[in-house]
Structures are given as C-alpha cells and as structure tokens.
Amino acid sequence: MSVFTGSADRSIKKIDLVRGYKISSQMKATEAVYEMVQVFNLTVAGCGDGTILTFDNDTGECLYGFGVMSKGAVRCMKVTDDCSKLICAGDDNNAMVLKFS
C-alpha cells in the first residue's frame, strides 16, 4: 500500500506504508503540484504552470504532459466514475474535459 504526496518543491513522492514509510519513488513536476488523482496505475498531477503530467506509479517515469490552462495553475481535477474522462479547472476560469483512450 502506498501514499502519494505532491508539494510546492515540484516533487511527487510515492511512500510505501508497508516498508516503514520509506520513499519508494520520486517524480519531478514542472512546477508546484496543486492537485493529484490516481487512475489505474497512473498518477495525474495538476501543476502551478497550467500543465497536467502523467506518471507511471511503478517506475516514476513521466509518460506525458500537456498544457491545459492558459493562465495560472490547475486547481482541481476529477476522474469520472467509469474512468473514461478527466475533468479539470484552474485559474483561467475554464473547465476542460479530457478523454482517456
């Protein structure tokens, strides 16, 4: 069992609860992490520069990233119940719906 943390120092840490709260992997974001969600074996992070980054939970590798906000940070994200879409919003006062494929 693991817990994921995101912080203003641009890091995302995977902490292993079974092994005494040891950091099992560390991922690097482009800017401060404001929001994170877990989808299957992925960590999706919304950053202060308006980008969304997707990381593999096993390797910590950034698989892809893209800009979604024209100004400011990604402030909130929600995965639909069927895990088919990601809804996000931020400082530019717009919402965006992204479809997983």
Side-chain angles (χ1 to χ4, degrees), residues 4-78:
F4 292 82
T5 65
S7 67
D9 70 354
R10 302 177 183 186
S11 69
I12 300 167
K13 294 178 178 127
K14 179 182 177 184
I15 301 171
D16 191 333
L17 300 179
V18 177
R19 295 188 175 140
Y21 297 91
K22 294 189 180 194
I23 296 171
S24 56
S25 70
Q26 188 163 332
M27 304 159 230
K28 203 65 174 166
T30 56
E31 187 54 69
V33 178
Y34 282 84
E35 181 72 22
M36 287 191 319
V37 295
Q38 303 292 314
V39 183
F40 305 114
N41 193 39
L42 303 173
T43 296
V44 182
C47 300
D49 59 359
T51 61
I52 289 180
L53 303 173
T54 303
F55 297 91
D56 182 296
N57 286 345
D58 293 328
T59 65
E61 177 184 5
C62 184
L63 302 175
Y64 53 91
F66 50 94
V68 294
M69 299 297 136
S70 62
K71 298 180 201 171
V74 177
R75 297 288 180 170
C76 59
M77 296 188 298
K78 170 77 171 127

